[in-house]
Amino acid sequence: MSAYNSLTYNASLCVGCTECMKACALAKTGDATNLDQSRIKIVPAQEPEKFEAAICRQCGDAKCVMNCPSGALTKNGANGVIDWNADTCVNCLLCTVGCVYGGITYEASVGHVAKCDTCGGDPACVKVCKSGALGYVTTASIYNDYGDKEDMFVPGLAACQGCNSELMIRHVMRKLGRNVVVAAPPGCIPGMGTVGYNGKAGAKIPIFHPLLTNTASMLSGIKRTFERQGRDVTALALAGDGGTSDVGFQSLSGAAERGERILFICFDNEGYMNTGMQASGATSFGSWTSTTPVGDKLHGKSTDAKNLPMVMMMHNAAYVATASSVFMEDFYQKLDKAVEASKHGFAYLHLYAPCPSGWRFPAGLTIDICRLMVESNFVTLWDYTPGGGLEFTHPVDTPKPLDSYLKAIGKYRHLANEQVDRIKKLLEDRLSMLKRFQKA
Amino acid sequence: MTALAKHKKMIVVDGNEAAARGVALARPDVVAVYPITPQSSLVEALSAMIAGGELDAELMNVEGEHSVLSALQGAALAGARTYTATSGPGLAFMFEPYIRQPGMRLPMVMSLVTRDTLTPQCVWGGHQDAMLVREVGWIHMYCETVQEILDTVIMGYKVAEHPEIMLPVNVNHDGNYLSYGVTSCELPDQALVDDFLGPKSVNWHVALDPERPMGVDPLVGNAGGVGPSMFVRYRKGQTEAMAHSLEVISEVHADWAKRTGRHHAPLIEEYRLDDAELALVTLGSMTGAAKDCCDMLRDSGRKVGIIKVKTFRPFPALAMRNALSKVKAVGVVDRSVSYGWNSGPVYQDTLTVIGKFGLKLPAIPFIAGLAGADITVAHFERAFDLVAKGEAPPGPVWLNEKD
Amino acid sequence: MQSCTHLIVGASHAGLTALSAIRMNEPDAAIVMATREDHLPYSPTVLPYVVSGRSDPAKVTLRSESFFDENKVSYLRKATLLALDTGANTAHFPDGRSIRYEKLLLATGASPNIPPIPGLKDVPFHVLRTMDDALGLKKAMVKGKRALVLGAGLIGTHAAENMAEAGMKVTIVEARGQVLPGYFDHQASGIIETAFKAHGIELVFGRAVKEIKSGQALLENGDAIPFDLLLVATGVRPDLSYLQGSGVKSDGGILVDELQRTNISNVWAAGDCARARLFQSEATGIAGILPIAVEQGRIVGQAMTDDAGVRNFPGSVSLNTYTFFGQQAISVGAGEAPESETSLCVDEDRNTYLKIVIKDGRLMGAAAVNQALDPGILWQLVLRRTDLSEVREAFLADPKTISRMLMSRIWR
Ligand SMILES: Cc1cc2nc3c(=O)[nH]c(=O)nc-3n(C[C@H](O)[C@H](O)[C@H](O)COP(=O)(O)OP(=O)(O)OC[C@H]3O[C@@H](n4cnc5c(N)ncnc54)[C@H](O)[C@@H]3O)c2cc1C
Ligand code: SF4
């Protein structure tokens, strides 16, 4: 089974300009004036200045198709669109009974039922949407391209329930394949058994435990040797934030300075989560950890997190990016760029990896937390190349309230207002600093 | 097989450059460097050779000794023959990857240009740095002369990469005396060295290579299950290889002697010992002065000899027993201390051999040459005098204490 | 004897929807689909369009031969279920063929209800339920000049329109007082009737046919209506003769629980043959409409494969979309309810009609003629008993827009 691209609508961003409807009517009839002809219907919401939308979801198990007595509606296996056949349609309107979304509708001025056909994969409505409310998500290609690729890790790795890191190392390795040497410095990633445990293998690829301190330098030696042998092998680190920002930082900095042809991915779960949730240099301000506990005298971590991706940008690395498992397309694009950059220089990917066990949130919420983290601007997704400067890949202009993020996570439960204010200030400062590196 | 080279090529070099020349002849693939006194001129010489194309190796100028050895471990896992050199604090900083190298059974040669350790602040010779890592699982060989440095660096690779050994080798030479002491020495032919070392194979047993995927250094242990016994198998194999290396070291020295005509005692050198009654045990460059003293005393009719330890780890207990059993009393001159025993490490090992084999002879501990101090003929004469008296003092005799 | 995991009898909406749901959950289970037809699956609903010529009989198949191959389903034609041995889990078909099943779905739909009118069985007449019926009717229309249609339900009105469009003189006799009783009230059906009359169709209401003689029908008031083509469209009822002795309980339709299971634990029923719960009443009944057949088919498919996501059938809601002479009528839910408020909006100039029934702030039903609505959304609003009090006025004024807004907010 394939996954398909799809249209998305974010009601909170919609300004109700109806440009999409005009564009749709124009695309379908050559005339933008009769909005009944639009397959997307923007309607006013109950709240002033807010809007809602009705549009075909191209359902996987579509009831309109099942309801059609004439075989005029079919699910297109290639692109996932529900195709409507004007020749066989008898205009009985039963499809409109089946659709609970107002996705296929009848208007007298149109004269037949009509539905979105995604304009052949290049929807006209999305192109004219200025507010960003409409999107066309092509993440499906990831599933289609990589779904059948071999998982390079064994099943049953001993990660916690809801572990973002396990999810993401599997993604990374599906994409990278076998022509790699993988360093997994001590932490959750080897801790879950990827390098092996008492004679049992954890992966199908060359993988090793470096020291917590020397990931980047061991990979340097490996890569240089393969280069000397004339072999193109990706030297990859799947490291935690402790091994990256604390004891591992010297070797990381050295390798970046030398422009070693390495791809270094940091899974930032803000601390030493494998060994009992101790604080690292990447732990955010105010966080409860087992070494920054909360009591009368201490109120969680008293200093801000070291901002590793920014530090790596200052190394003039060939490629630096931040990513989140919620924006997979963005992540995959960055992974591509990082692999490419690592052929001629040091590439650094910083992956925000919320940890249900250490941060204290329900395991089922990992992805929601990932999303909230980005959408509240707690972290920012961007990438950087020395020539091209910094680009925000998922700018969030109207962020969700920071409180909604902090409140969702147990390690911030104790935060006093002043602490929250400090975090707010920090985030603002960081964002404005990042903006200074933006492409002109 | 080449017999004696017809035209000897002589060079005038100090110990550091001699080591560099030896390294170049061994053709390492990857050399990682970080400078430190008194090793610096060694890595400078190597860098220059690589820069000039004399040595075709990957030069990695990394940001510290920790990364030096880490990079080389990575390189070795990918199949590279590797080299570096360090001293004192550099070795201390390198300690974390250093203790790991023998466990991974990764062969390499590293020169330790020995230096006394902090504190007080000190940049001069002494064996304290090397002695601190004597129990980690590296093979340690100490050189007496510039020529021996050059030769031993080359022989070191043959020992390290021997398929029954697969362990890293430290070839140690004294900071100052040997590192900067210039003499003439013979430079072996490249063809001779190539033939001597043969084809290299450093990662046949453990590798990071997509063509041979494996998990390197997985977790092994825990209280129950197969873990601990698996760990024992690793450890036991390592200690057995270490013990076996004494034999290999001897064979390699014999082979080298046959090809070059230069005989270096592989484990223990007995100097004028056969009819001796007293002996001093020495290590490294001090042996030169000790031999001079011995010759002088012999001229005056005293039956003295020298026992030079070349291979200190693994400790050549049998060879030491053979040497000790020839004399009635012995003194041991250490260039470092063992804090716990209030004496020197070589002395402790000597006592162990005496005890283990039930020898009956007094042994006197001396400590000399710390922080670059001279150990002169006069110092050794005093030592022989004290050994002759046969009274073991409660603590060591600090030969430079009143200089 | 052939055996399978899932035996589905009936190859129309209920059976096909169940089939998809089963395959989704059990990619490899052995499935047999048996139908009495010699055709690939088609929908009875499309038959009026086959009659009118709008639809090419070859192009209305709901599934192709290759669909069954790809889905590894054995599709048996001319396999009329004759009898069931639920003790031996065996279904019996003509020519001595029997199939042993682990789980059985009865989705045999309904058949035309033939009223006991004296003389009827002695004259040739048409019904419209199967493809062969449709083709036969179509052929008869070529020769026929005067058609008489008994019954002004969906089938009768559809067929009457087709025949009128084909140039025949058509009369519809309906015992009740209007067309499409049960779906539309008098006023709405009035609009429909006007269109029928405008197209020359004669409508006779409130009169039953007393007797049929060759070439004419005698009404109870003594009127005689001549015809050379007679179509009987007086409702449907399932033909459950195969249940005899099976132990499966029925009462006009097969009795089922909220997951469409019969009293026999490995036998389910769905669609026009099943008597299931009704949403807006305590009673049970046969819905007799396509969307409900689909709904029940999906539930059965899930139930037969122990899908944890299966939800109880909420009960049938009356749903109807009806197009006539280029106009549209839609009805969802109840047209009236005790203690409800009804909003009615009729625009005779524009020939539109809109009725909304609300009770306790909840939508009970809506009906519209020539006024666009999204019946699927309204159906959800009924099922969810969505509270409309906050948007009541706006909803009554513009149910299409407001229901879209509510959908986008509530179940987007
Ligand atoms: C002319 C016409 C117009 C209609 N218009 C509409 C409309 O506009 N809107 C609407 O909602 N509904 C309409 N309907 C009703 C709708 O078609 C049915 O509700 C729907 O088809 C029911 O689906 P089902 O699968 O339950 O049964 P059916 O569609 O009746 O299918 C029954 C299947 O079972 C098979 N079968 C029957 N008995 C046996 C047996 N003993 N052994 C083996 N196979 C058997 C049949 O061959 C058939 O394949 C219309 C019906 C007709 C006839
Ligand atoms: S209106 Fe057309 S597409 Fe919709 S159900 Fe009827 S025949 Fe199918």
Side-chain angles (χ1 to χ4, degrees):
Chain A
M1 198 150 74
S2 292
Y4 304 112
N5 299 340
S6 62
L7 262 171
T8 57
Y9 174 70
N10 183 341
S12 67
L13 298 179
C14 179
V15 295
C17 65
T18 69
E19 286 301 320
C20 54
M21 294 174 67
K22 290 176 201 155
C24 181
L26 183 67
K28 300 304 157 205
T29 66
D31 172 9
T33 55
N34 179 8
L35 294 189
D36 280 353
Q37 286 284 6
S38 175
R39 278 69 163 138
I40 179 166
K41 278 106 184 165
I42 303 294
V43 294
Q46 240 166 308
E47 305 76 17
E49 308 294 307
K50 294 281 177 201
F51 298 88
E52 300 284 356
I55 176 84
C56 174
R57 317 294 157 106
Q58 321 291 356
C59 299
D61 182 19
K63 266 210 257 176
C64 59
V65 173
M66 289 299 186
N67 272 10
C68 178
S70 70
L73 290 168
T74 41
K75 176 91 179 166
N76 185 321
N79 60 17
V81 171
I82 309 287
D83 287 331
W84 172 73
N85 182 342
D87 287 342
T88 46
C89 175
V90 297
N91 239 345
C92 66
L93 309 192
L94 278 165
C95 49
T96 69
V97 178
C99 182
V100 301
Y101 298 113
I104 184 160
T105 55
Y106 179 87
E107 292 288 347
S109 66
V110 177
H112 54 77
V113 292
K115 68 177 293 299
C116 168
D117 60 2
T118 71
C119 299
D122 186 20
C125 53
V126 177
K127 284 191 274 197
V128 298
C129 178
K130 300 237 165 41
S131 70
L134 283 176
Y136 189 59
V137 178
T138 50
T139 324
S141 62
I142 294 173
Y143 179 85
N144 294 333
D145 294 351
Y146 299 101
D148 291 337
K149 290 259 160 75
E150 193 174 6
D151 189 341
M152 293 301 168
F153 294 103
V154 298
L157 290 177
C160 302
Q161 231 178 36
C163 178
N164 192 56
S165 303
E166 180 186 348
L167 176 75
M168 295 310 283
I169 59 171
R170 290 185 189 272
H171 272 286
V172 169
M173 293 320 304
R174 257 176 209 273
K175 173 133 184 131
L176 264 60
R178 288 178 178 270
N179 193 27
V180 287
V181 169
V182 179
C188 293
I189 293 170
M192 64 180 82
T194 52
V195 183
Y197 176 61
N198 284 344
K200 293 205 168 65
K204 305 171 188 171
I205 39 175
I207 185 168
F208 69 106
H209 258 120
L211 299 165
L212 191 54
T213 43
N214 71 2
T215 308
S217 31
M218 281 192 80
L219 284 175
S220 304
I222 290 165
K223 182 69 179 185
R224 295 263 198 127
T225 303
F226 281 123
E227 285 172 346
R228 190 177 160 77
Q229 295 167 0
R231 291 172 62 189
D232 180 18
V233 174
T234 302
L236 171 72
L238 302 176
D241 54 280
T244 306
S245 68
D246 290 348
V247 278
F249 182 69
Q250 176 178 322
S251 65
L252 174 70
S253 172
E257 177 270 324
R258 295 189 302 274
E260 302 283 358
R261 276 72 58 203
I262 292 173
L263 168 50
F264 198 105
I265 306 183
C266 172
F267 294 76
D268 180 3
N269 59 14
E270 297 193 9
Y272 299 94
M273 298 301 150
N274 184 48
T275 47
M277 298 96 183
Q278 300 87 359
S280 78
T283 305
S284 54
F285 172 79
S287 294
W288 169 91
T289 71
S290 56
T291 52
T292 56
V294 177
D296 288 346
K297 299 270 166 62
L298 301 176
H299 314 286
K301 188 162 179 252
S302 60
T303 54
D304 299 324
K306 193 191 278 189
N307 192 313
L308 250 294
M310 262 201 235
V311 173
M312 296 319 291
M313 180 166 70
M314 293 298 99
H315 280 71
N316 221 23
Y319 186 70
V320 180
T322 62
S324 160
S325 51
V326 162
F327 302 96
M328 285 304 284
E329 227 184 342
D330 182 56
F331 173 71
Y332 267 77
Q333 272 165 13
K334 286 169 175 169
L335 194 54
D336 269 340
K337 289 190 197 171
V339 170
E340 212 31 56
S342 75
K343 294 189 194 303
H344 59 86
F346 193 86
Y348 178 82
L349 253 184
H350 194 91
L351 187 68
Y352 296 108
C355 162
S357 311
W359 295 18
R360 308 286 196 244
F361 60 80
L365 291 187
T366 305
I367 298 296
D368 300 78
I369 298 287
C370 286
R371 184 183 303 280
L372 206 45
M373 195 178 198
V374 173
E375 292 184 343
S376 65
N377 265 343
F378 189 81
V379 297
T380 314
L381 301 185
W382 50 269
D383 73 355
Y384 169 85
T385 53
L390 184 146
E391 192 181 352
F392 292 102
T393 57
H394 188 87
V396 180
D397 297 331
T398 43
K400 298 244 168 78
L402 177 64
D403 279 356
S404 65
Y405 175 68
L406 298 178
K407 290 234 160 68
I409 296 168
K411 70 170 178 165
Y412 299 120
R413 191 168 300 137
H414 60 280
L415 290 188
N417 288 340
E418 314 82 74
Q419 287 175 296
V420 173
D421 291 345
R422 172 167 167 171
I423 296 173
K424 278 190 184 134
K425 172 91 174 47
L426 173 80
L427 298 184
E428 280 160 21
D429 291 351
R430 195 188 58 200
L431 198 59
S432 59
M433 192 189 309
L434 280 173
K435 282 183 177 156
R436 286 194 255 146
F437 295 99
Q438 231 175 325
K439 271 188 215 174
Chain B
M1 195 184 289
T2 343
L4 272 181
K6 287 187 197 95
H7 307 288
K8 292 183 177 178
K9 181 169 181 199
M10 300 304 292
I11 50 173
V12 178
V13 289
D14 64 14
N16 277 353
E17 192 176 344
R21 295 300 190 108
V23 171
L25 287 167
R27 299 188 197 262
D29 299 294
V30 183
V31 172
V33 300
Y34 186 84
I36 185 167
T37 304
Q39 156 266 37
S40 298
S41 61
L42 196 171
V43 297
E44 287 162 14
L46 270 175
S47 303
M49 282 189 260
I50 294 172
E54 242 174 286
L55 168 58
D56 170 23
E58 188 69 20
L59 176 65
M60 297 184 72
N61 293 96
V62 300
E63 81 295 338
E65 289 86 352
H66 192 285
S67 284
V68 162
L69 189 55
S70 301
L72 295 180
Q73 285 175 2
L77 286 164
R81 178 177 283 170
T82 59
Y83 175 82
T84 193
T86 192
S87 288
L91 177 61
F93 183 38
M94 190 187 273
F95 188 64
E96 196 192 14
Y98 182 89
I99 57 176
R100 199 180 187 211
Q101 181 105 9
M104 287 202 287
R105 307 295 295 273
L106 287 177
M108 78 173 290
V109 170
M110 181 200 297
S111 292
L112 291 184
V113 187
T114 55
R115 167 175 160 176
D116 229 317
T117 58
L118 313 182
T119 276
Q121 196 66 236
C122 168
V123 294
W124 296 278
H127 290 155
Q128 196 68 45
D129 53 357
M131 285 299 163
L132 291 179
V133 296
R134 67 188 184 277
E135 301 302 7
V136 169
W138 286 61
I139 291 169
H140 279 238
M141 292 194 274
Y142 285 77
C143 299
E144 177 188 343
T145 65
V146 169
Q147 182 74 60
E148 192 176 11
I149 296 170
L150 194 156
D151 292 345
T152 306
V153 163
I154 297 168
M155 289 189 286
Y157 280 104
K158 182 122 189 181
V159 173
E161 294 172 14
H162 190 287
E164 287 159 21
I165 305 302
M166 300 306 283
L167 285 170
V169 172
N170 278 142
V171 175
N172 305 345
H173 66 263
D174 294 357
N176 302 63
Y177 283 102
L178 288 173
S179 62
Y180 305 147
V182 177
T183 62
S184 78
C185 73
E186 191 187 325
L187 188 69
D189 233 26
Q190 182 66 60
L192 181 151
V193 175
D194 288 349
D195 189 58
F196 170 72
L197 289 179
K200 77 173 170 245
S201 179
V202 298
N203 72 341
W204 52 268
H205 60 313
V206 57
L208 286 170
D209 186 336
E211 281 168 15
R212 283 185 286 149
M214 61 176 87
V216 171
D217 209 0
L219 280 165
V220 175
N222 210 343
V226 294
S229 61
M230 202 174 272
F231 195 91
V232 168
R233 284 213 297 283
Y234 281 112
R235 271 289 177 275
K236 202 167 161 232
Q238 198 182 330
T239 52
E240 281 169 0
M242 195 71 172
H244 179 46
S245 71
L246 289 171
E247 217 174 289
V248 173
I249 290 167
S250 301
E251 283 165 19
V252 166
H253 277 70
D255 186 14
W256 184 253
K258 201 156 78 187
R259 290 164 190 262
T260 63
R262 282 192 298 283
H263 296 265
H264 303 287
L267 310 175
I268 298 283
E269 179 185 345
E270 298 177 3
Y271 185 74
R272 304 188 81 166
L273 204 61
D274 282 348
D275 62 340
E277 288 170 357
L278 309 177
L280 287 178
V281 177
T282 62
L283 189 68
S285 65
M286 68 165 90
T287 311
K291 285 175 178 170
D292 286 350
C293 174
C294 175
D295 292 346
M296 189 188 84
L297 295 179
R298 280 275 179 182
D299 288 348
S300 62
R302 290 173 66 179
K303 293 189 167 176
V304 294
I306 300 295
I307 301 172
K308 178 186 100 170
V309 176
K310 168 146 192 196
T311 300
F312 180 62
R313 281 293 177 273
F315 196 80
L318 275 176
M320 191 63 163
R321 184 203 62 179
N322 291 345
L324 290 175
S325 59
K326 292 178 179 170
V327 296
K328 299 201 167 62
V330 68
V332 181
V333 186
D334 269 291
R335 270 194 92 176
S336 64
V337 301
S338 163
Y339 294 103
W341 285 104
N342 192 19
S343 58
V346 185
Y347 178 73
Q348 287 308 319
D349 287 356
T350 305
L351 289 189
T352 304
V353 170
I354 290 170
K356 178 176 164 76
F357 295 102
L359 304 179
K360 299 270 182 297
L361 79 164
I364 315 275
F366 297 93
I367 287 174
L370 301 190
D374 284 343
I375 320 177
T376 61
V377 170
H379 288 116
F380 285 110
E381 191 177 357
R382 186 148 74 87
F384 271 123
D385 289 345
L386 287 168
V387 174
K389 276 204 218 147
E391 284 168 26
V397 180
W398 302 82
L399 287 175
N400 300 103
E401 195 176 17
K402 297 195 172 113
D403 286 0
Chain C
M1 191 194 306
Q2 189 174 359
S3 65
C4 60
T5 309
H6 302 283
L7 172 61
I8 301 170
V9 186
S12 179
H13 292 285
L16 291 169
T17 308
L19 172 63
S20 294
I22 292 170
R23 245 319 156 244
M24 191 102 78
N25 286 335
E26 294 184 3
D28 300 315
I31 304 179
V32 174
M33 175 170 262
T35 174
R36 64 177 176 203
E37 297 273 347
D38 193 15
H39 300 279
L40 282 167
Y42 64 88
S43 171
T45 303
V46 84
L47 296 176
Y49 306 93
V50 171
V51 173
S52 73
R54 169 72 187 88
S55 297
D56 175 350
K59 289 191 182 158
V60 296
T61 51
L62 295 175
R63 299 290 185 277
S64 62
E65 199 79 67
S66 62
F67 167 85
F68 293 104
D69 293 344
E70 281 158 21
N71 285 279
K72 292 169 283 172
V73 174
S74 132
Y75 181 69
L76 304 184
R77 301 169 194 241
K78 292 202 267 191
T80 306
L81 178 61
L82 300 177
L84 267 183
D85 182 346
T86 52
N89 294 333
T90 304
H92 300 290
F93 297 93
D95 306 324
R97 175 181 216 150
S98 299
I99 297 178
R100 190 167 13 237
Y101 56 83
E102 284 171 33
K103 297 174 183 182
L104 170 68
L105 167 58
L106 300 170
T108 52
S111 304
N113 178 39
I114 309 300
I117 301 172
L120 179 57
K121 56 182 188 316
D122 305 322
V123 299
F125 67 88
H126 291 267
V127 292
L128 186 55
R129 184 72 190 191
T130 67
M131 182 59 81
D132 293 344
D133 295 342
L135 297 175
L137 180 59
K138 190 168 193 278
K139 210 161 130 200
M141 278 162 55
V142 177
K143 291 182 289 174
K145 302 250 164 357
R146 269 200 79 102
L148 172 61
V149 177
L150 302 187
L154 274 175
I155 300 169
T157 50
H158 266 301
E161 176 179 343
N162 298 153
M163 293 189 278
E165 295 282 70
M168 297 179 80
K169 169 95 186 87
V170 183
T171 305
I172 305 178
V173 176
E174 166 60 53
R176 287 189 273 173
Q178 62 169 87
V179 296
L180 301 173
Y183 291 116
F184 297 102
D185 65 10
H186 240 77
Q187 211 159 353
S189 48
I191 299 178
I192 301 169
E193 287 155 14
T194 307
F196 271 65
K197 286 178 197 151
H199 285 81
I201 297 173
E202 194 183 337
L203 300 169
V204 179
F205 292 137
R207 304 257 187 283
V209 177
K210 207 170 71 190
E211 193 187 347
I212 305 274
K213 291 203 169 129
S214 84
Q216 60 176 357
L218 299 177
L219 305 188
E220 33 181 32
N221 67 352
D223 290 357
I225 304 171
F227 63 83
D228 53 20
L229 190 160
L230 175 62
L231 176 70
V232 177
T234 49
V236 296
R237 57 166 182 78
D239 173 3
L240 303 176
S241 49
Y242 57 77
L243 284 186
Q244 203 116 59
S246 68
V248 176
K249 286 189 186 149
S250 67
D251 174 14
I254 302 169
L255 299 179
V256 293
D257 68 8
E258 56 282 0
L259 289 177
Q260 302 292 131
R261 192 198 297 250
T262 69
N263 60 308
I264 306 291
S265 67
N266 62 341
V267 179
W268 285 261
D272 282 9
C273 66
R275 186 175 185 91
R277 44 157 64 173
L278 304 177
F279 184 73
Q280 291 176 317
S281 116
E282 294 299 312
T284 57
I286 295 177
I289 52 173
L290 189 158
I292 297 296
V294 166
E295 206 62 25
Q296 295 180 344
R298 183 192 309 251
I299 289 170
V300 171
Q302 289 180 298
M304 287 173 79
T305 49
D306 299 318
D307 186 330
V310 67
R311 300 237 202 108
N312 285 349
F313 179 58
S316 301
V317 172
S318 165
L319 299 160
N320 185 29
T321 55
Y322 176 57
T323 47
F324 58 99
F325 301 108
Q327 306 182 50
Q328 297 75 37
I330 294 169
S331 84
V332 173
E336 52 186 34
E339 290 161 58
S340 63
E341 340 160 32
T342 299
S343 151
L344 187 63
C345 187
V346 182
D347 183 336
E348 283 177 8
D349 295 339
R350 288 175 50 236
N351 201 27
T352 62
Y353 162 98
L354 173 67
K355 175 161 119 178
I356 294 169
V357 182
I358 289 182
K359 186 177 170 183
D360 302 332
R362 268 92 175 148
L363 182 66
M364 297 301 288
V369 182
N370 294 328
Q371 176 125 357
L373 282 179
D374 297 326
I377 296 179
L378 297 178
W379 182 14
Q380 277 297 303
L381 291 175
V382 171
L383 286 180
R384 289 167 183 257
R385 298 191 166 93
T386 305
D387 185 357
L388 301 176
S389 6
E390 262 184 52
V391 293
R392 191 174 173 281
E393 294 313 316
F395 184 84
L396 294 177
D398 185 357
K400 178 178 77 176
T401 303
I402 300 305
S403 64
R404 285 175 184 171
M405 181 274 282
L406 291 170
M407 171 280 297
S408 180
R409 262 168 60 115
I410 301 171
W411 63 86
R412 165 177 17 118

